[in-house]
Amino acid sequence: MIADDAVSVPLVEPDAEGVAPDLRRQVQQQRLGELVDRLLAAGGLQAARLADSGVTGGADVSLDSLGRLPMVTKRDLWEHYPHGLRAVPAEDVVCVHGSSGTGGRPTLVPYTAHDVDIWARVMARALGGAGATRRSIVHNAYGYGLFTGGLGVHHGGIRLGATVVPMSGGMTERQIRMLVDVRPDILTCTPSYAIFLGEAMRAADVEGDSLRAGLFGAEPWTNEMRVQIERLLGLRALDIYGLSEIIGPGVACESLDSDGMLNVAEDHFYVEAVDSDGDPVPDGTPGELVFTTLTKTGMPLLRYRSGDVAVLAGPVPGAPRTLRRMSKLLGRTDDMLVVRGVNVFPTEIEAVLLADERVSPHYLVVEDRRDAARPELRVAVEPAVTVDEERLAGELDAALRERLGITCVVRVLARGSVPRTEVGKARRFARWTGGEAPLAGID
Ligand code: DLL
């Protein structure tokens, strides 16, 4: 495992990742003007909204006044599904990706060859930041398909010149076999699958001692989960963030030297953080991330409201990477629970649970709204070791009350009770409005 936090890793694209911030801002400004011209020329929703705001060309828009322009929301994408926000002729599209998304409504994103090239570049940077080189072997266990995880890492690994092992998700036995036989140094998958894989390797008495770093994302995870993954797999666990609407993974990624935050590829994806009224929040204050795809052509988005909440910050002082950084995601605007007047993000619950070494990373948070007047948070955990279950439940309840300011109903269930996710994103949160309990033993 790479343990030294003071490590510095070479930049894959020094001209982009390492330039002085004021030079980068000039590039962003120029790209913003070009983007606005592209959107106006394409017509449709974004062009109409720009025209309504009095914008007649790229020259009318500056980064300083960007906050005055209208935002695009997920609802806009749904209402124009499947191809309504495409900004190029159909023959220029080389692939589509997307996600099933919240509420099961799909989002479909068209990519031009130029977009795939940008994606490959930002993903190559992300892998490079984790210490990957041309000599690296990348075991890629993100799902291949419409989901952007598998192919995003794939494009980036190839661009970097590394060897990609395109495992996709699931078939854990075969994954373990490849980890042992091919000896990759980089692992890419969801954090929950990293745990699953690590536990399966431990159960099979196999050590993946070639692994040095992993890029884990696509679902929320905390620093407490990071400790568990690093312990299980003996690697440095880094966070990678992205969303299909913007490009997929690679919008932002931690590097070995980014001090626990994620470098935003802001030369391609300009980021703002705003409050619930859409007003900017200062660095260090949690806000909803709003992205502008400065260079994309297939489905460029001006000021896309991501629903993801994080804190923004400048680069690490004196570090070679001069990109702005974002924190790990704190949550989503739509998954914030308001229970008896208290705002809670599920990640805060995870942080409390996994800070306790007796608790395994398999848990489920249930928002119990069967009685609308008396909503309750129920938390199912599994012990990682043999424990006094009643005592553990009591102590977790006290720790959750201390951190969140509300009482939760904690249930310690037998190992294996909480469903595992081998393919796709983990489901660690459920809403219970009536009928059968989402998990046996949670009531
Ligand atoms: O999840 C892209 C991705 C693939 C990112 C692989 C990282 C690794 P979507 O399926 O469109 O795209 O889902 C996007 O997932 O808006 C976040 O809410 C959530 N998400 C993505 N990365 C993280 C992360 C991919 N590192 C949505 N931490 C986003 C927490 C994440 N949530």
Side-chain angles (χ1 to χ4, degrees), residues 139 165 167 172-184 210:
H139 181 110
V165 188
M167 293 305 301
T172 302
E173 249 176 62
R174 197 166 76 172
Q175 305 254 4
I176 295 177
R177 171 106 235 172
M178 296 298 272
L179 286 168
V180 171
D181 293 349
V182 181
R183 297 189 56 74
S210 60

Side-chain angles (χ1 to χ4, degrees), residues 74 98-101 107 123 142 147-150 153 189-191 215-221 239-245 247-250 252 262 304 306-308 326 328-332 335 347 425:
K74 189 95 172 175
S99 60
S100 49
T107 309
M123 276 308 305
Y142 282 115
F147 173 58
T148 50
V153 171
C189 60
T190 59
L215 292 184
F216 306 117
E219 61 188 26
W221 59 302
D239 194 356
I240 180 162
Y241 165 79
L243 55 168
S244 333
E245 299 90 310
I247 198 105
L262 292 78
Y304 179 67
S306 66
D308 292 327
M326 59 178 260
K328 278 180 100 48
L329 279 204
L330 304 171
R332 286 189 51 79
D335 74 10
T347 48
K425 304 191 185 209

